[in-house]
Amino acid sequence: MVSGRVVVEAVRPEVDGGRFPIKRVIGDAVDVEADIFADGHDVVAAHVRYRKAGTKTWDRVRMEPTGNDTFRGAFRVTQLGTYEYTVAGYIDEFASWRRDLAKKLDAHQNVAIDLIEGAVIVERTAKRAKGSDRGLLLGFAERLRGGEPDVARDTELEALMDRHFQPAHVCAYDRVFSVFVSPHQAQFAAWYEFFPRSFGGFKGAEEYLTDIAQMGFDVVYIPPVHPIGVTNRKGRNNSTEAGPDDPGSPWAIGSSDGGHTAIDPSLGTLDDFKRFMVKANACGMDIALDLAFQCSPDHPWVTEHPEWFRHRADGSIAFAENPPKRYEDIYPIDFETEDHEALWMALREVVDFWIDFGIHIFRVDNPHTKPFAFWEWLIGGVHLAHPEVMFLAEAFTRPKVMNRLAKIGFDQSVTYFTWRTSRHELQEYFTELTSPSVRDFFRPNLWPNTPDILPYHLQHAGQPTFMARFVLASTLGATYGIYGPAFELQENAPLAPGREEYLNSEKYELRDWKIEDPRNLAEFIAHVNRIRHENIALHADRSLRFHETQNDALVAYSKCSDDGSNLIVCIVNLDPDNTQGGWLHLPLEEFGIRPDEPFPVHDLLTEARYVWQGEWNFVELDPHSVPAHVLRLRHRMPKEEDFEYYA
Amino acid sequence: MVSGRVVVEAVRPEVDGGRFPIKRVIGDAVDVEADIFADGHDVVAAHVRYRKAGTKTWDRVRMEPTGNDTFRGAFRVTQLGTYEYTVAGYIDEFASWRRDLAKKLDAHQNVAIDLIEGAVIVERTAKRAKGSDRGLLLGFAERLRGGEPDVARDTELEALMDRHFQPAHVCAYDRVFSVFVSPHQAQFAAWYEFFPRSFGGFKGAEEYLTDIAQMGFDVVYIPPVHPIGVTNRKGRNNSTEAGPDDPGSPWAIGSSDGGHTAIDPSLGTLDDFKRFMVKANACGMDIALDLAFQCSPDHPWVTEHPEWFRHRADGSIAFAENPPKRYEDIYPIDFETEDHEALWMALREVVDFWIDFGIHIFRVDNPHTKPFAFWEWLIGGVHLAHPEVMFLAEAFTRPKVMNRLAKIGFDQSVTYFTWRTSRHELQEYFTELTSPSVRDFFRPNLWPNTPDILPYHLQHAGQPTFMARFVLASTLGATYGIYGPAFELQENAPLAPGREEYLNSEKYELRDWKIEDPRNLAEFIAHVNRIRHENIALHADRSLRFHETQNDALVAYSKCSDDGSNLIVCIVNLDPDNTQGGWLHLPLEEFGIRPDEPFPVHDLLTEARYVWQGEWNFVELDPHSVPAHVLRLRHRMPKEEDFEYYA
C-alpha cells in the first residue's frame, strides 16, 4: 500500500512546532485540533493519540470533524508531569462505502456490485473478529451478497464494524507534542509578599500569617532568607554607605554565617523558618522562596570557588553592573565559567535543599540575566523529579525574553500589568496573553506593586486607585500578587520625582507597619479573594474577553467556566476622580442568554442585584464608593428554588 | 564555554516549520527575519547563512536590528533550483565593551580596568590577524593599555575588528529552511487556453497563434493532445451517446492510436505539434501541456497494465465516479496498486517525454484526486533535474487541499477568483493569498472562465462584466488566464439554468469561432497586457493591498515595485449597469507622497491624466465606457525632464 494519502497538518495547541511543551493544570481537558484530509472523496477520520511520558502504549480518542477539514478531540490530564500527544488520520473504508451506496440508491443506480464490495469489507473485518461477533459479521456479509441494500444502514452492523475497526492508510503526524501538567495552584493563586524581618523575624511574623490568611491569600512569598553580606552593604534608600544598624538588602546573599542554604540570624534559625512554614501551611497557604543566584562579596563561595565568578583585568572579582548602574554589594555568578558543571550542580543542590525542606514554589530573581540554557536544564531536571514544584520568573524585561523564559520551563511569569493602566493598554495586552499560543506557555502573575516598583499611577494615589488596581489584578489574572502591607496601607510616597521606587524602601531598612490604620484595605481584599475562590470562572485566564463600554474610562471583561455555568463580568472605573457611566455591550447569544429575556445580575462586590435585558445595559461607577462591578450573570430567570437566593 | 546564551527564534519566511520550501523567482531578494536575543545586556548580532543546495560552504550576510529583538537581512537568489538558508546569532564582545565604556565615560566613572579589558579583546583579535593588520591592532591595544579611552571610538580600529571578527557564543538556528527558485515566468504570465481542434488541428491553429501573441499573452495552454477513446465516448453537451462525428472529450485519453505520449491524429502528427510549439516560441509564447493522469477504456495501458486500474467485485475495471456522478469514458489510475513503483515511473516517463520534446509548463488536471505523496515525489524529481519546469495545479477544491498541493511542489495554483465577485469577497480572499505564509508557497493563477466553468455572473452578461472581470484577473493576479475565444467573444450561454457550464461546450464538440465579431475584446485585452508588461508593479502579488472607496461597488487596490518606483492603483466598478462614484482613500505617506503636495495620476487604460491632492480623491466609473481605472501614480510633481510625459 502506498502511504501518504491522508495528510495531518497544523496540529494545535503547540509551541514553536513542538520545541516546547504546552502547559496545563491537573484535571484540564486538552482540546486538540488538526487539519486532516486526503486526496479524492473517501471519508477521513482521526484520533488524538496521547500517553503519559514514559508509557509505551498510546491511548486514543476519536476526533470529530468541525468543518473546513478541521477535526477536534480532547483528552484529560489527571497526573502531574509530562504527557505526549499527537494525531493520526486515516481513511474510513466502510464509512466511505456506506456513504456512496446511499447516494447511488437515492439516484436509483444499480448497486449490485457495490453490495458485493461491501460484503468483502465486512468479511475482511470478520477475519479479525472472534466468537459470536465473527458469525454476526459473516451473516451481514451474506445478506449483502444476497442483494439486501438495507443491511448497510443496520446499526448493529455499524457497531460491529466499529468494534473491530482497523484503520487503513493511517498517517501519523510527524511530530509528537508534549504538555506539562502542574498543580492547580500554578494557575490559580493569590500571592502576598512581605518582609518577615519587619515583623521581628520568623517568630514575630508567625502571628501576621493569620492576618494574611484572613485576607484570603494562598501563597506567601518572602524575600531571600539568607545571611546578608557586610562588604559594600547598602544603606537606607539604596545609599552606598550603610549605617551600623542598617540590615542590608536581602538580595546581597551570603556572609560568614553561610550562603544560599543558611538562614539570616536576624530572622531566626532553620527550625524557626520550618515552624513559620508549617504555620503558613496550617493556614492553608504555601511559602514561596526567593531564588536569587548571586552572591555578596562575603558569600562562602567567593573564597571556596573564586572560579565561579568573573575576574577583571586587575584580578578583582567583577561586581554587578548595567552601565552606568553599579551594584557593588553583589557579585554575579559566572555561568560560563570553565567549571560550570560543578557550579550548575551546586545551584541545583540549593534548589533540592529547599525542596527537601518543604518548599515547592520558587520566585526566581532576574532570571533574564542568566543563560536560558541553565534554566532549561535546571527546571527540566527539577520538574522530572518533582512535577509539583513551580518557578515564577521575575523577569521585568523585553517581551521576547519573557516569552522565552516561559517556554523553557518557568511555570509563571510576571507581567507588564504593573504599568498597563488605560483601557486600550489593558485590552491589548491581556488579549495577547490569552491568545494562542502565548496562553499555552505563558502563565501571567499580575502585580500592582512590588518592593522594587511603585509605579507612577500609585504615587500619591488614593483609595480609588488602589481598589481599582486590586480588582484589575485579581480578576484579570487568575494568579496575582501584592507586596504588603505597603499595598493595603496605600503606601504611595516615591523615592524621588521620576523614580518608580518606594521612599524608605523595605529592601534596605525595617519598617514599622501600622496594620491597624483605618485606611487598611484588608477587608476589601478578603472580600475579593472570597469571590475569586467561590467563582471558578476566575480560576483561569483562557476565557478572558473584553467588552465594549462606550466610555474609555470603563474597562469591561468577562470570564467563564469551561462548562459555561459560572459567568463573571467585571467593569472597572479607571478614573480615580470622577463617577463614570456608559453603555455596556454583552454578547448575549454567546453567553446563552436570549436577547428578549430579562436576566438577573448580581454584583458580588456590593451585593447589589439588577435585572438586565438586551445586549446594551447602562453601568455607572463612583470611584469614591467602589470603583468596580464584579457581576455574576445568571443564564436564566430564577425559578422557585432560586427564591432564597433573591430573598 | 557554555552554549545557549543566544536564542534565535521565529525565523521567517517559512512554511510549516521548514517542512516545505518557500517559493521565489530568479533575481528575488529573500528577506529573512528572526527574533534574536541573549540573557543579560551584551550586544547581540546575527547573520543570515545561505547557500545553493549541494554547496558545502555557507555565504553570510549581516542582519540589522529592527527593534523589539527582531533582526532582518536579505540575500539574492540568482540561480534556478533550491537554496538553503538559516540564521546564526552571536554575542558581539567588542561592541558590548565599546557601548559599556561609552556609558561609563558619560557617567564619569573610572574606566582604567575597562581599557585594559578592551586591550585584551583587541589583542585576542590580533592573534587571528596577519601582516600589517596585526601590527595595527597591537598598536591600538597598547594605546588602550596606556589609558587612552578615545581609542575605543577610532573608526580604523572598528574596521579592523570587523575584518577579523570571530563571533562568540554562536547559536545557529536548529533548522535549515529552503527556497525553490523558478523562472520569472512562474510568477508573471498571461495565459490563453484554446482548443486547436476547433481551428483545424495544429496546422490550422498555427495561424491563430499570431492573434494570441498580438493580444499579449505569454503562455498558450492547450487541452490534452492525445488520442481520444471511443468506448463510452461523450457526445455534445456531455450526453452519454456520442454521434459518429462527435470528437469526444480530450480528457478521455488513449485509443488504439496510443496514450499519453501520442498525438490525436485529428490534431496532426508529433511533428505538426513540434512546428506549432516552435511557432508559439517564435511569437514569444510558451506552450503549456495538459497533464491528465487518467485513461479512456481504450488506452493501451488498460490491456498492457490492467493491474494499474481498480477492479470491481465483478472483475470489471472501475470507471470514474463521484456518486451519484458517473464518468463512464474515464478509468482513474489506481495509484495504490501493488505495482505502484512501475506505474509511478511510467507517469514520470510521460512527463520526461514532453520535457524532452520541449515543454516546460504543465497544467495538471484534478491533482487533488491523486495522492499527495505521488505529486511530491514526481514534482520533486522533475524539479531536481529541471528546475525550470512548472506545474499548475488545476484543483478547484477545498482550501486546505489546494494549499497542500502548493506546498508539496506545484508552482502555481488555480484560485477561487472565478467565483469571487463582491468587493468584500475579493478583498478578503486576496488579502489571505498575499499574507505570510500563504504568499510564500501559493502562487495564484486567476481565471475568469475555463472550459469547465461559465460562472453565474458571466451568464447572459455583457461587455461591462467581461471587461471588469478581465481587469480584475489581470491586475489582481500577476499570473492569470482566460479560456478563449469564448472569453473575448463574450460567450455567455449556460448549458441550463443553475448549471455553471457552457452550452455547446467545446469539450465535446468543435466550435466555429467568429473572431471577426465586432464585440471581440481582443484590442482591450492587448492594451491591458501591454500595461502589465510595462509596469513591474504588476509583475508580482506580494505588494497587493486594498484601499477604501466609500462605495461597495468600487473595489480599489494597489501594487508597487520593490523599489517603490512603479506604483499602480486600480479601481474597478463591480456594477455592470450603473455609473458608480465614491471617495477613494490612499495612504499617501506610505506611498512617499506628501499630503499637501499635488501628485499626477495617469490612467493607463484611457490615457486620462489628473492631478490629485490629499488622501481622499473622488473617482467615478461608467461601466458602459471603461469599468476600471488602472492608474499610475507619480511620487513627485513633474520636473522639466518629465515634460514630454505630460505633453
Side-chain angles (χ1 to χ4, degrees):
Chain A
M1 281 291 187
V2 183
S3 75
R5 283 202 56 200
V6 180
V7 170
V8 179
E9 279 191 337
V11 173
R12 51 207 184 264
E14 58 83 26
V15 177
D16 290 4
R19 164 73 177 81
F20 302 104
I22 66 161
K23 295 187 170 88
R24 291 293 185 273
V25 295
I26 204 156
D28 272 351
V30 180
D31 257 307
V32 180
E33 282 194 319
D35 298 342
I36 306 170
F37 49 84
D39 62 281
H41 310 290
D42 289 328
V43 174
V44 168
H47 287 127
V48 177
R49 295 178 175 179
Y50 65 98
R51 64 183 174 192
K52 192 83 197 314
T55 314
K56 262 205 169 154
T57 57
W58 293 96
D59 283 322
R60 67 185 192 193
V61 58
R62 197 177 165 100
M63 302 178 83
E64 298 300 329
T66 56
N68 192 19
D69 291 320
T70 295
F71 285 70
R72 184 187 294 157
F75 66 96
R76 204 165 283 280
V77 287
T78 54
Q79 296 173 60
L80 295 177
T82 302
Y83 281 74
E84 294 173 327
Y85 61 98
T86 189
V87 166
Y90 54 89
I91 300 243
D92 191 335
E93 190 185 12
F94 184 65
S96 303
W97 171 80
R98 290 216 309 169
R99 183 204 53 191
D100 287 351
L101 184 75
K103 285 185 183 171
K104 289 181 180 184
L105 287 169
D106 287 347
H108 307 290
Q109 294 178 1
N110 185 333
V111 296
I113 304 174
D114 298 88
L115 293 179
I116 296 169
E117 289 173 343
V120 171
I121 298 172
V122 174
E123 285 156 2
R124 204 184 306 135
T125 305
K127 275 190 194 160
R128 282 195 302 273
K130 282 170 194 156
S132 61
D133 281 3
R134 180 175 211 154
L136 288 167
L137 282 164
L138 289 173
F140 280 115
E142 206 176 309
R143 288 170 60 195
L144 285 168
R145 285 190 182 274
E148 289 183 45
D150 290 345
V151 173
R153 287 167 179 145
D154 193 295
T155 53
E156 191 190 350
L157 172 59
E158 191 182 355
L160 281 164
M161 291 298 288
D162 200 49
R163 185 144 69 235
H164 301 287
F165 176 71
Q166 194 172 34
H169 298 285
V170 175
C171 170
Y173 192 55
D174 58 358
R175 276 165 286 178
V176 171
F177 294 153
S178 60
V179 46
F180 185 74
V181 181
S182 293
H184 189 254
Q185 196 183 33
Q187 175 179 291
F188 175 68
W191 289 45
Y192 188 85
E193 173 176 10
F194 84 112
F195 285 73
R197 68 183 185 181
S198 287
F199 291 79
F202 290 127
K203 279 187 176 159
E206 259 186 52
E207 201 179 325
Y208 188 56
L209 287 173
T210 316
D211 295 42
I212 301 171
Q214 275 171 359
M215 283 189 278
F217 287 97
D218 309 298
V219 173
V220 172
Y221 153 51
I222 50 176
V225 295
H226 316 301
I228 296 171
V230 177
T231 306
N232 294 327
R233 175 178 285 194
K234 299 282 182 165
R236 288 166 184 247
N237 287 315
N238 201 20
S239 67
T240 47
E241 296 282 313
D245 294 335
D246 283 348
S249 160
W251 283 273
I253 294 171
S255 76
S256 55
D257 290 316
H260 282 76
T261 54
I263 298 290
D264 187 44
S266 76
L267 283 171
T269 65
L270 202 60
D271 281 344
D272 294 335
F273 183 30
K274 186 76 147 195
R275 204 162 38 241
F276 178 82
M277 185 182 76
V278 169
K279 169 83 188 289
N281 296 347
C283 294
M285 302 187 297
D286 286 301
I287 299 293
L289 201 72
D290 197 296
L291 220 53
F293 282 157
Q294 58 196 19
C295 297
S296 96
D298 309 313
H299 194 291
W301 285 348
V302 175
T303 43
E304 290 166 16
H305 300 283
E307 70 279 10
W308 290 358
F309 301 89
R310 201 169 70 76
H311 292 258
R312 303 211 61 190
D314 65 350
S316 66
I317 293 180
F319 55 76
E321 55 180 342
N322 182 10
K325 283 193 248 173
R326 302 153 64 96
Y327 309 91
E328 297 91 341
D329 58 339
I330 289 169
Y331 285 171
I333 290 170
D334 181 9
F335 285 83
E336 302 161 68
T337 171
E338 297 268 329
D339 193 34
H340 71 266
E341 286 187 25
L343 165 69
W344 289 23
M345 201 52 76
L347 296 170
R348 168 71 193 265
E349 279 164 14
V350 168
V351 177
D352 284 340
F353 175 89
W354 291 113
I355 293 172
D356 290 344
F357 182 80
I359 298 293
H360 66 269
I361 309 179
F362 295 93
R363 177 269 198 191
V364 180
D365 188 71
N366 282 332
H368 54 294
T369 59
K370 290 96 187 170
F372 300 103
F374 167 72
W375 294 120
E376 192 164 13
W377 170 84
L378 180 87
I379 298 175
V382 170
H383 273 166
L384 202 62
H386 303 284
E388 76 283 4
V389 171
M390 288 181 277
F391 295 86
L392 163 64
E394 188 261 348
F396 287 110
T397 182
R398 309 188 312 278
K400 284 168 185 166
V401 174
M402 291 173 69
N403 282 350
R404 183 75 181 195
L405 291 165
K407 290 177 186 174
I408 61 175
F410 280 93
D411 301 278
Q412 291 183 0
S413 309
V414 296
T415 70
Y416 301 142
F417 167 74
T418 315
W419 299 278
R420 295 291 180 271
T421 55
S422 73
R423 179 169 95 157
H424 174 74
E425 286 171 344
L426 291 164
Q427 191 156 334
E428 187 180 58
Y429 184 50
F430 284 94
T431 299
E432 178 194 324
L433 291 187
T434 51
S435 300
S437 63
V438 180
R439 69 181 184 199
D440 293 310
F441 66 78
F442 191 97
R443 281 206 199 93
N445 191 333
L446 282 57
W447 291 74
N449 72 329
T450 79
D452 296 308
I453 312 163
L454 175 68
Y456 292 124
H457 54 271
L458 288 187
Q459 295 178 14
H460 313 298
Q463 177 178 299
T465 301
F466 278 87
M467 283 173 80
R469 294 299 293 173
F470 183 78
V471 172
L472 287 169
S474 59
T475 57
L476 280 171
T479 298
Y480 79 99
I482 59 169
Y483 153 55
F487 186 86
E488 66 267 28
L489 291 177
Q490 303 176 41
E491 178 98 344
N492 62 8
L495 176 61
R499 298 287 296 273
E500 288 195 305
E501 286 164 63
Y502 279 100
L503 180 66
N504 303 326
S505 167
E506 206 170 2
K507 290 200 297 181
Y508 309 108
E509 63 186 275
L510 307 188
R511 293 289 301 269
D512 180 19
W513 297 106
K514 307 292 180 202
I515 304 297
E516 302 307 324
D517 189 304
R519 285 174 308 173
N520 193 323
L521 293 172
E523 278 185 28
F524 180 72
I525 289 169
H527 185 46
V528 173
N529 277 334
R530 205 157 42 236
I531 293 169
R532 279 169 48 91
H533 272 272
E534 287 168 1
N535 288 277
I536 59 166
L538 299 175
H539 293 202
D541 296 325
R542 294 176 71 88
S543 69
L544 178 71
R545 48 183 301 187
F546 288 85
H547 303 294
E548 207 183 321
T549 57
Q550 302 206 330
N551 179 343
D552 275 350
L554 298 175
V555 60
Y557 47 92
S558 66
K559 284 183 169 182
C560 192
S561 61
D562 284 347
D563 66 359
S565 67
N566 187 244
L567 176 58
I568 298 291
V569 174
C570 301
I571 306 113
V572 180
N573 181 358
L574 302 172
D575 177 350
D577 301 315
N578 307 297
T579 294
Q580 294 281 354
W583 289 93
L584 167 72
H585 178 264
L586 294 176
L588 291 194
E589 197 175 315
E590 291 161 45
F591 286 171
I593 298 172
R594 283 175 43 192
D596 57 345
E597 198 173 40
F599 56 97
V601 166
H602 175 193
D603 188 343
L604 303 175
L605 281 183
T606 62
E607 287 299 319
R609 286 156 205 275
Y610 314 95
V611 176
W612 283 0
Q613 187 173 345
E615 300 215 316
W616 292 95
N617 291 277
F618 195 81
V619 290
E620 193 175 67
L621 288 161
D622 174 2
H624 300 290
S625 157
V626 180
H629 286 309
V630 175
L631 304 173
R632 170 139 197 225
L633 265 61
R634 296 271 170 175
H635 298 219
R636 53 182 176 77
M637 281 302 282
K639 294 212 177 60
E640 205 67 20
E641 61 268 30
D642 296 320
F643 191 71
E644 200 185 337
Y645 175 82
Y646 280 84
Chain B
M1 280 293 188
V2 183
S3 74
R5 282 203 56 199
V6 180
V7 170
V8 178
E9 278 191 337
V11 174
R12 50 206 185 266
E14 58 84 26
V15 177
D16 290 4
R19 164 75 175 81
F20 304 103
I22 66 162
K23 294 187 170 87
R24 290 293 185 273
V25 296
I26 204 155
D28 273 351
V30 180
D31 257 307
V32 180
E33 283 193 319
D35 298 341
I36 306 171
F37 48 85
D39 62 280
H41 309 289
D42 289 329
V43 174
V44 169
H47 288 125
V48 177
R49 295 177 174 179
Y50 64 99
R51 65 183 174 192
K52 192 84 198 314
T55 314
K56 262 202 170 158
T57 56
W58 293 96
D59 283 321
R60 67 186 191 190
V61 57
R62 197 176 165 103
M63 302 178 83
E64 298 300 328
T66 57
N68 192 19
D69 290 321
T70 295
F71 285 70
R72 183 187 292 158
F75 66 96
R76 203 165 284 281
V77 288
T78 54
Q79 296 175 59
L80 296 177
T82 301
Y83 281 74
E84 294 173 327
Y85 61 98
T86 188
V87 167
Y90 52 88
I91 299 237
D92 191 335
E93 193 185 8
F94 184 64
S96 303
W97 172 79
R98 290 217 308 168
R99 183 204 52 192
D100 287 351
L101 184 75
K103 285 185 184 172
K104 288 181 181 184
L105 287 170
D106 287 347
H108 306 290
Q109 294 177 2
N110 185 332
V111 296
I113 304 174
D114 299 87
L115 293 179
I116 297 168
E117 287 172 343
V120 171
I121 298 171
V122 174
E123 284 156 2
R124 205 184 306 135
T125 304
K127 276 188 194 161
R128 283 194 302 274
K130 283 171 193 153
S132 60
D133 283 3
R134 181 174 210 155
L136 288 168
L137 283 163
L138 289 174
F140 281 115
E142 206 177 308
R143 287 171 59 196
L144 286 167
R145 285 191 182 275
E148 288 183 45
D150 290 344
V151 174
R153 287 168 180 143
D154 194 295
T155 53
E156 192 191 349
L157 173 59
E158 191 180 358
L160 281 165
M161 290 299 288
D162 201 48
R163 185 145 69 235
H164 301 285
F165 177 69
Q166 192 170 36
H169 298 285
V170 175
C171 171
Y173 193 55
D174 58 357
R175 275 165 287 178
V176 170
F177 295 152
S178 59
V179 46
F180 185 74
V181 181
S182 292
H184 188 254
Q185 197 183 33
Q187 175 178 290
F188 175 69
W191 289 46
Y192 188 85
E193 173 175 11
F194 85 112
F195 286 73
R197 67 183 186 184
S198 287
F199 291 79
F202 290 127
K203 280 187 177 162
E206 258 184 54
E207 201 179 325
Y208 188 55
L209 287 174
T210 316
D211 295 41
I212 301 173
Q214 275 171 358
M215 283 189 279
F217 288 96
D218 311 298
V219 174
V220 173
Y221 153 53
I222 51 176
V225 295
H226 317 300
I228 297 170
V230 177
T231 306
N232 294 328
R233 176 178 284 194
K234 299 281 181 164
R236 288 166 183 246
N237 287 313
N238 201 18
S239 68
T240 48
E241 296 282 313
D245 294 332
D246 284 346
S249 160
W251 284 272
I253 294 170
S255 77
S256 56
D257 290 314
H260 281 79
T261 54
I263 298 289
D264 188 43
S266 76
L267 283 171
T269 65
L270 202 58
D271 282 342
D272 294 335
F273 184 29
K274 186 75 146 197
R275 204 162 37 241
F276 178 82
M277 185 181 76
V278 169
K279 169 83 188 288
N281 295 349
C283 294
M285 303 186 296
D286 287 300
I287 299 293
L289 202 73
D290 197 296
L291 220 51
F293 282 157
Q294 56 196 19
C295 297
S296 98
D298 310 313
H299 195 291
W301 285 348
V302 175
T303 43
E304 291 166 15
H305 300 283
E307 70 280 9
W308 291 357
F309 302 89
R310 202 169 69 76
H311 292 258
R312 305 212 58 190
D314 66 350
S316 67
I317 292 180
F319 54 76
E321 55 181 343
N322 182 11
K325 284 192 248 172
R326 301 151 65 95
Y327 309 89
E328 297 93 339
D329 58 338
I330 289 169
Y331 286 171
I333 290 170
D334 181 10
F335 285 83
E336 303 160 67
T337 171
E338 298 267 332
D339 193 32
H340 71 267
E341 286 187 25
L343 165 68
W344 288 24
M345 201 51 78
L347 296 170
R348 167 71 193 265
E349 281 165 12
V350 168
V351 177
D352 284 339
F353 176 90
W354 291 113
I355 292 173
D356 290 343
F357 181 80
I359 298 292
H360 66 267
I361 309 179
F362 296 94
R363 176 270 198 190
V364 179
D365 189 71
N366 281 332
H368 54 293
T369 60
K370 290 97 186 167
F372 300 101
F374 168 72
W375 293 120
E376 193 164 13
W377 170 84
L378 180 87
I379 298 175
V382 170
H383 272 167
L384 203 61
H386 304 283
E388 75 282 6
V389 171
M390 288 181 276
F391 295 86
L392 163 65
E394 188 260 349
F396 287 110
T397 182
R398 309 188 311 281
K400 284 168 186 166
V401 174
M402 291 172 68
N403 282 350
R404 183 76 181 192
L405 290 165
K407 289 177 187 174
I408 62 176
F410 280 93
D411 302 279
Q412 291 183 1
S413 308
V414 296
T415 70
Y416 300 143
F417 167 76
T418 315
W419 299 278
R420 295 291 180 272
T421 54
S422 72
R423 179 170 96 156
H424 173 75
E425 286 171 346
L426 291 164
Q427 190 156 336
E428 186 179 59
Y429 183 50
F430 284 94
T431 299
E432 178 193 325
L433 291 187
T434 51
S435 300
S437 64
V438 180
R439 68 181 184 198
D440 294 310
F441 65 80
F442 191 97
R443 279 206 202 94
N445 190 333
L446 283 57
W447 291 74
N449 73 328
T450 79
D452 296 308
I453 311 163
L454 176 68
Y456 292 124
H457 54 272
L458 289 186
Q459 295 178 14
H460 313 298
Q463 177 178 300
T465 302
F466 278 87
M467 283 173 79
R469 293 299 291 172
F470 183 78
V471 171
L472 287 169
S474 60
T475 55
L476 280 171
T479 298
Y480 79 99
I482 59 168
Y483 154 54
F487 187 86
E488 65 267 28
L489 292 176
Q490 303 175 41
E491 177 99 345
N492 63 8
L495 177 61
R499 298 286 297 273
E500 290 195 303
E501 285 164 62
Y502 279 100
L503 180 67
N504 305 326
S505 167
E506 207 170 1
K507 290 200 298 182
Y508 310 109
E509 63 186 274
L510 308 187
R511 291 289 301 271
D512 181 19
W513 296 107
K514 308 292 181 202
I515 304 297
E516 304 305 324
D517 189 304
R519 285 174 307 175
N520 193 323
L521 294 172
E523 279 184 27
F524 179 73
I525 289 169
H527 185 47
V528 173
N529 277 334
R530 206 159 37 238
I531 292 170
R532 280 170 47 91
H533 273 272
E534 288 168 359
N535 288 277
I536 59 166
L538 300 174
H539 294 203
D541 297 324
R542 295 176 71 88
S543 68
L544 178 70
R545 48 184 301 185
F546 288 85
H547 304 291
E548 209 184 320
T549 57
Q550 301 206 331
N551 179 343
D552 275 349
L554 297 176
V555 62
Y557 47 93
S558 66
K559 283 183 171 182
C560 193
S561 62
D562 284 348
D563 65 0
S565 66
N566 187 243
L567 175 58
I568 299 291
V569 174
C570 301
I571 307 113
V572 181
N573 181 358
L574 302 172
D575 177 349
D577 301 316
N578 307 297
T579 295
Q580 294 281 355
W583 289 92
L584 166 71
H585 179 263
L586 294 177
L588 291 194
E589 195 175 315
E590 291 162 44
F591 285 170
I593 298 172
R594 282 175 44 194
D596 56 346
E597 196 173 42
F599 56 98
V601 166
H602 175 195
D603 189 342
L604 304 175
L605 282 182
T606 63
E607 286 298 318
R609 286 156 205 273
Y610 314 96
V611 175
W612 283 1
Q613 186 172 348
E615 299 216 315
W616 292 95
N617 290 277
F618 195 80
V619 291
E620 192 175 67
L621 288 161
D622 174 2
H624 300 290
S625 156
V626 181
H629 287 310
V630 175
L631 304 174
R632 171 140 195 225
L633 266 60
R634 294 270 170 174
H635 299 220
R636 53 184 176 78
M637 281 304 282
K639 294 212 176 61
E640 205 67 20
E641 61 267 30
D642 296 320
F643 192 71
E644 200 186 337
Y645 176 82
Y646 278 83

